[in-house]
Amino acid sequence: MQDRVVYEFAIIRLVPRVEREEFINVGAILFSKRKKFLDMRYHVDRARLNAFACEIDPNTVEAYLKAWKEVCMGAPQGGAIGKLDLPSRFRWLTASRSTIIQSSEPHPGLCFDPEKELHDIFNKYVL
């Protein structure tokens, strides 16, 4: 058990009509303070998005998700938020918001390898 580390994850959701509270899972984000790990994966299923909300441009959604990824990775394109430390970036990305890109509440867990855990969570909840 000593080799396992605490992590937090959230599912990234596309909420085309915020007032209806319906969503499609499009990504996952995982943070482990001890491992100094923060990363996310995303995938927009264009056919599913078209069936769910044909008025939403998938290229726009992917551009927003790319911006989230840049903040997550601390890239210069992430702006002022991207310059924050890992915990602050995770908290910013998982903060409650009423836009079409949202995240679930963060959930805790224990793992040996945050990268593998992110892969497993992404496959389970998004793909």
Side-chain angles (χ1 to χ4, degrees), residues 1-64:
M1 177 121 163
Q2 291 175 327
D3 294 336
R4 295 187 345 168
V5 295
V6 173
Y7 70 88
E8 295 177 74
F9 79 94
I11 302 302
I12 302 166
R13 301 169 171 165
L14 174 65
V15 187
R17 294 179 196 91
V18 178
E19 69 279 4
R20 292 181 63 165
E21 298 182 1
E22 297 172 330
F23 60 84
I24 299 171
N25 292 343
V26 294
I29 183 169
L30 189 139
F31 167 63
S32 172
K33 184 174 182 176
R34 189 162 142 213
K35 289 282 189 174
K36 297 180 179 149
F37 180 90
L38 176 61
D39 200 2
M40 67 176 274
R41 293 189 180 168
Y42 65 89
H43 171 75
V44 178
D45 182 329
R46 289 172 176 255
R48 188 171 180 208
L49 175 58
N50 187 51
F52 189 68
C54 61
E55 70 280 5
I56 301 294
D57 176 26
N59 294 324
T60 301
V61 172
E62 287 176 348
Y64 280 117

Side-chain angles (χ1 to χ4, degrees), residues 68-115:
W68 273 45
K69 177 76 170 182
E70 290 168 349
V71 167
C72 183
M73 301 311 297
Q77 302 86 343
I81 304 300
K83 294 177 184 174
L84 298 174
D85 63 357
L86 291 177
S88 297
R89 292 197 316 261
F90 179 73
R91 297 288 170 240
W92 186 86
L93 288 166
T94 58
S96 294
R97 51 181 48 96
S98 60
T99 62
I100 68 166
I101 306 284
Q102 302 179 11
S103 74
S104 68
E105 293 293 319
H107 305 282
L110 291 171
C111 71
F112 293 104
D113 179 1
E115 181 71 38

